[in-house]
Amino acid sequence: MSTPIVRLFAVIVLLFALLVLFTSRWTVFQAASLNNNPLNVRTLLDELQIKRGRILAADGTVLARSVPAPAHTWSRTYPTDGLFSQPVGYSIAAQGRSAGLEQSAGPDLRGVQTGLSSIFGPLSPRPVGNDVYTTLDPKAQRTAVSQLGGRAGSVVALDPRTGAVLAMYANPTYDNNHVDQLAPGQSTFNNSTQAAWPPGSTFKVVTAAAAIDSGKYTPNSMVNGDSPKTISGVPLQNDNNQSFGNIDLTQALTFSVNTVWAQVAEHVGRGTMTDYMKRFGFYAKPPLDYPPLQIRASLPVAPNGRPYPPGSPNEDIGRIGIGQGGLLVTPLQMAMVVAAVAHHGALMKPHLTDKVVDQDGRTVRTIDPTVLSQVMKPSTAQQLSLMMRRVVEEGTGTPAQLGGISVAGKTGTASIGAPGSGLTQPWFIGFAPADNPKVAVAVTVALTHGGFGGTIAAPVAKAVMQTLLAEGK
Amino acid sequence: MTARNRELLGLIPASLLVTAGFAGVFIQRSNALSNVSLTYGALFLGLCIAAHVFIRLTLPRADPYLFPLVAVLASFGLVMIYRISPTLARQQAQWFVLGLVLFAGTIILFRDYRKLERYRYTIVLVSLGLLVLPRLPGIGYAANGAYLGVRIPGLFVFQPAEFAKIGLVVFLASYLRDTRQVLVQGGRRFLGVTLPPLKQFGPVVVIWGLAMATLVVLSDTGSSVMFYGGLLAMLYVATNRLSFVVIGLIAAAIGFWYLGTHIPHIHARVETWLHPLNPRLYHAPLGSYQVANSMFAQAAGGLFGQGFGRSALSLPAGGALLPFPQTDMIYAVITAELGLFGAVAVLITYLMFVARGFKTALLARDSFSTLLAVGLSAMFALQVFVIVGGVTRVIPLTGVTLPFISYGGSSIVTNLVLLALLLLISDRARRPA
């Protein structure tokens, strides 16, 4: 009976080899994919043991910090009571959920875990993450909150010279300390970066940039501003069906003449318009240091809800040129538009993070300003700035005037809801000081009964710019 | 060096392991080395030496490696269980003491273990009775969907399948000793394949049916695979007919396929085995949560493991991250904390034990002894394969214990009895003729 016994043992050795093989499969060969499986909460539990770094405002106000939780774990608390819920987001490691900077700056906040330290993990001390200093300004943020006064809408303020996000606030909001207990009407949806709103006439800034920079127009070019005009086979009217006769582009911008800008957009052409929109950042998610899932690209959308491919022959470029025609944008994108004009036509990459500092106070990383694209020639930007100053000095944007400081801007009043409902979405985009821009803002209030950009949004923008300039930004 | 002195030296690794292990857990727990770890180590070592002295007195020629290997496994198991729950570890240590008593009892009562042959039908009937016990109302209960346990209220809980394992092997060894010649010679050749004679093969078919019935009635896939595999191993050794094994495997494959596709709860098991990372199965009750988290735990272990006591077993909010860490999932805990290297070391220890068992079978001078040693060793190896295979997803996960390591009184007691039988066979085989 010895031969079958030896063979039987060989079979058992093979079976055990199979066990070794499968153990190595999970421990080594497929370990990475198992560790990253969304069902796997172990990685998150490990994270609970890490004391994540703080998130701070530009002035050093603590926006997020770790507090000890039971069983050697840490949890996050947000001392500003929801003021910065949207940009900061939240991190609930126990549930593996995170949003905002808490997610996008996660690797910095957790600190670097090298491969070696994971092998010798049991021997090394508990890891501590790095502090993330943001560019956010608490005073401006508070001004945005009080100015919006609970109305749905958004305020985004950028430093046009660097792309730093100075303020980012939207309604509805939530308290990031209580993500699981949202009160009625609260939302974690960030309207500043995720909304799909028609920009109204603020988009005429893009059309004007394309018209002048492409050399097809100058600020003095004369265009007939009568109403109505047939655009894409359908009559388009000015506000109150007012006819302006032959006017130049500066006047057409100052008084936001729809028929002029629709004709300009048609004449500039679909290709050139699309090209300039892309330079401003349309058609792509703004490269903010923020979770891409919480950012929406601004672009024209067909009636069936699908985005038009860039330069699609089906889109109504004349109406897109005045912010209609299915164009849907985020407040962040409109802030980028106005910041590019303010900064000699150079669009800076927007960023929330200023620097990363380790627990010993050493600066690990500083975010250097980066040019995202040169949207237009500096001379074009200069001409456009002068036109936009006229809007605030004598046009639709006079409520944005800051005594003693020149402001450039553009209003917008998008009609929303059913035709004839009278519902509008007022906008204002602008920058100041106009001759040496330090702040650029985009403001919108999502829904009013007949409110205008100049009367509703411009005062909010004015207050936010005033706060920021008073702080010496 | 005599066999017994080798055995004594072989206990050194076990005692070092248990002391170092407890020390490791203590350091992890309280950042301070307590003298309790040394006490545990000394107590365990004392028990092992007592057992060693007993073997020295009763079975001087028995295989010197079997007991030290068991001591290594048991001490390792004790440390792992201690790391999971000190309370369970104390109970396990008590079971270990009781197991050693039964171990000694077996050696004294069955010095001539061949008299077991006389009671083979009694033994098999009792074994079958034991298997059905968990299904009886009042005392039987289901754990994790399978009817594995018997609870005598206020007294104890035990898993009869563990005891039935040994009884079935004794019966088969005795039965096949008698019929092996007939099975081989009385067979008819059909299409070039030797078919066994039906009359003598009948009881074997009964065991096949039993294994399948165990599966259906008790939903105890693990034991069913173990029994059936043990049967085929013994049949193969007794007859040296590969065709019998092939026929047996085909019959089993058909049986498992049919049950796996037609019995809902077995089908569910197969589904969770094939698709453990499917979110729907993962969140389903009795779904793939356990298997998936076994894989996650092993992935967390990597090559070297996270260290003793450092892998997460439960969720911070309460609830198990790795359900049944002390029984079904103990191999996953070992892999998570000691890594691939630790896990392979454990498997090699088992393999060495099985190798010594087979060596005993080769040395034995009569068929009954050989078949008994083969059956016990094969059953032991299959038990390791079934549970580790389940945890590592080689096969669907079923609830059998990891011998000597898992928490469980029935398991440790029966496996010590199994060890006693192997030592008895070995001692007789090595006696000068």
Side-chain angles (χ1 to χ4, degrees), chain B residues 184-265:
Chain B
V184 176
Q185 285 158 4
R188 263 173 253 154
R189 291 192 61 82
F190 178 73
L191 295 173
V193 179
T194 306
L195 295 176
L198 252 192
K199 185 173 169 245
Q200 282 76 14
F201 206 59
V204 176
V205 175
V206 168
I207 305 253
W208 174 85
L210 217 69
M212 294 302 152
T214 313
L215 187 59
V216 178
V217 179
L218 309 179
S219 16
D220 184 1
T221 333
S223 300
S224 134
V225 168
M226 208 168 82
F227 293 151
Y228 194 68
L231 159 73
L232 285 184
M234 293 174 77
L235 189 63
Y236 175 59
V237 170
T239 61
N240 196 13
R241 280 286 180 280
L242 201 59
S243 58
F244 293 1
V245 178
V246 172
I247 293 167
L249 285 177
I250 290 171
I254 292 170
F256 283 125
W257 171 81
Y258 182 81
L259 298 176
T261 47
H262 287 76
I263 306 281
H265 67 256

Side-chain angles (χ1 to χ4, degrees), chain B residues 46-58:
Chain B
L47 278 177
C48 287
I49 288 178
H52 161 75
V53 169
F54 179 78
I55 298 169
R56 189 181 275 268
L57 291 175
T58 53

Side-chain angles (χ1 to χ4, degrees), chain B residues 37-246:
Chain B
S37 60
L38 301 175
T39 316
Y40 266 93
L43 274 175
F44 188 81
L45 190 62
L47 278 177
C48 287
I49 288 178
H52 161 75
V53 169
F54 179 78
I55 298 169
R56 189 181 275 268
L57 291 175
T58 53
L59 305 170
R61 292 172 207 82
D63 190 291
Y65 303 111
L66 283 171
F67 181 66
L69 287 167
V70 165
V72 164
L73 291 171
S75 58
F76 183 72
L78 207 57
V79 173
M80 281 321 291
I81 293 167
Y82 184 80
R83 172 258 173 278
I84 294 163
S85 155
T87 318
L88 290 182
R90 207 178 53 245
Q91 291 174 15
Q92 178 83 343
Q94 287 165 3
W95 283 114
F96 190 72
V97 173
L98 180 71
L100 283 179
V101 170
L102 280 178
F103 167 85
T106 308
I107 289 174
I108 291 166
L109 276 177
F110 298 102
R111 263 205 81 73
D112 185 4
Y113 57 90
R114 289 175 302 180
K115 70 184 170 194
L116 283 170
E117 283 200 84
R118 267 184 261 152
Y119 311 113
R120 70 184 187 204
Y121 285 105
T122 316
I123 288 172
V124 77
L125 284 176
V126 169
S127 300
L128 297 183
L130 281 173
L131 274 180
V132 193
L133 273 187
R135 209 58 223 255
L136 294 184
I139 53 171
Y141 69 98
N144 216 4
Y147 291 87
L148 295 172
V150 168
R151 181 185 290 126
I152 310 291
L155 280 177
F156 57 89
V157 168
F158 76 105
Q159 303 204 331
E162 295 278 355
F163 296 95
K165 173 175 77 179
I166 292 180
L168 284 177
V169 170
V170 171
F171 167 76
L172 280 170
S174 168
Y175 184 81
L176 288 170
R177 197 274 310 269
D178 286 353
T179 51
R180 53 189 284 251
Q181 297 296 338
V182 195
L183 280 174
V184 176
Q185 285 158 4
R188 263 173 253 154
R189 291 192 61 82
F190 178 73
L191 295 173
V193 179
T194 306
L195 295 176
L198 252 192
K199 185 173 169 245
Q200 282 76 14
F201 206 59
V204 176
V205 175
V206 168
I207 305 253
W208 174 85
L210 217 69
M212 294 302 152
T214 313
L215 187 59
V216 178
V217 179
L218 309 179
S219 16
D220 184 1
T221 333
S223 300
S224 134
V225 168
M226 208 168 82
F227 293 151
Y228 194 68
L231 159 73
L232 285 184
M234 293 174 77
L235 189 63
Y236 175 59
V237 170
T239 61
N240 196 13
R241 280 286 180 280
L242 201 59
S243 58
F244 293 1
V245 178
V246 172

Side-chain angles (χ1 to χ4, degrees), chain A residues 42 49 72 122 126, chain B residues 20-30 76 79-85 304-314 333-339:
Chain A
R42 278 178 182 273
Q49 318 257 324
H72 305 292
R126 296 266 187 230
Chain B
F22 276 114
V25 177
F26 273 118
I27 291 170
Q28 179 57 34
R29 282 263 163 76
S30 52
F76 183 72
V79 173
M80 281 321 291
I81 293 167
Y82 184 80
R83 172 258 173 278
I84 294 163
S85 155
F304 304 98
Q306 298 179 299
F308 250 142
R310 288 206 52 131
S311 82
L313 300 179
S314 51
V333 181
I334 293 169
T335 314
E337 307 208 329
L338 302 178

